[in-house]
Amino acid sequence: MLTRWFTTAAENRREISHVQVGVRRSRLRSVIMAAALATGLTGLASLPTTATAEEIRQPRQVAYVTNNADNTVSAIDVASNTTIATIPVGAAPDGVAASPGGTRVFVANNADNTVSVINTATNGVIAIIPVGAGPTGVAVTPGGPRAYVTNSGDDTVSVINPATNSVVATIPVGTAPTDVAVTPDGTRAYVTNNSSNNVSVINTATNTVIATIPVGVAPTGVGVSPGGTRVLVTNETDGTVSVINTATNTVIATIPVGTTPSDVAFSPNGARAYVTNSGDGTVSVINTAGASLITTVTVGTTPIGVAVSLGGTRAYVANSGDGTVSVIDTATNTVEATLTVGATPTEVAIANVP
């Protein structure tokens, strides 16, 4: 989500300098310029420091990392934490999402207004789909029939039919839409509008906005709990996370986190959420039951994207400022590995490749 770091000339309200690459990464720090470009559940039980048996027996978990400055995606084997492929995609890849079956990965290319579709069996691009201006975020519905793409440059969301790799609808939303997440039942999509400080709620049956929710200042990342009852939104400028009750579409709590929170990902059981703080190089670990901060983990420079492995034992963090991915052991909340990827890694998605 590098292009979440977008800012207009009128939005010079940060203490850290930013560079506009698009909107999803609405405020990318000067260090990147120098680099050249859940619900309330019970506490998480202690987890082993190595991959669980469930993770080991899965055919292959692969973490796909968008490298914004070199127009590639790194494919990392989760079992071995090694890069197995580097995939050329479009210009300035930003958001990334895997299909439910793990056969396809969708990449939003912010600078050329397209979405690249990767076949995970071959790790090659099999389709390029034109979308709106400045695509940043992407999410796929659980059943896989639709993909939603935020277009930060024209304040819309493109709806893609993966069966035909074509846009079937365009939805007007708020100003500078940044990220998108879909509920587990696939009925709603939540879109952060970075410059209008709110979240649009889309009815996926009609592809219309059914609610607009005020949140904090410069909302960027968004995640839906596995149970579908809570949505977490990172607010870049005020250093908080808004907690939305999906039954009422209202904010029920605000959690202080680190400096310039960027992205958020839930553990598979929804008990924990991981928030990247791009301004201070940390990840905040949140107890979702109490809407409270558990601990803070130091990672690499300017962390942006985050994804949790399907077994919940690891969190993968894209550090855009130093070209690395930090692998957090979720049992100990410590970094167990640091992986080198491409230039300006931005977002992460994990696919269970058959």
Side-chain angles (χ1 to χ4, degrees), residues 260-285:
T260 319
S262 181
D263 199 11
V264 58
F266 281 91
S267 61
N269 68 357
R272 300 287 183 267
Y274 298 82
V275 175
T276 53
N277 302 305
S278 58
D280 60 21
T282 65
V283 171
S284 296
V285 184

Side-chain angles (χ1 to χ4, degrees), residues 44-70:
L44 188 63
S46 296
L47 297 171
T49 58
T50 56
T52 62
E54 177 186 0
E55 287 188 319
I56 292 171
R57 68 172 173 264
Q58 289 168 345
R60 183 177 60 173
Q61 284 191 63
V62 180
Y64 288 86
V65 181
T66 53
N67 301 309
N68 189 274
D70 63 14

Side-chain angles (χ1 to χ4, degrees), residues 19 26-27 32 53 128 141 154 156 206 210 261 281 289 312 318 323:
V19 57
S26 61
R27 294 166 179 87
I32 303 303
I128 299 173
T141 56
D154 60 18
T156 65
T206 60
I210 58 172

Side-chain angles (χ1 to χ4, degrees), residues 197-251:
N197 301 331
N198 55 34
V199 170
S200 296
V201 185
I202 295 172
N203 180 328
T204 59
T206 60
N207 283 326
T208 57
V209 174
I210 58 172
T212 301
I213 308 167
V215 288
V217 181
T220 303
V222 60
V224 180
S225 67
T229 62
R230 298 291 184 269
V231 170
L232 298 188
V233 175
T234 59
N235 304 305
E236 285 187 320
T237 298
D238 57 19
T240 64
V241 170
S242 297
V243 182
I244 295 172
N245 181 335
T246 59
T248 60
N249 281 328
T250 56
V251 173

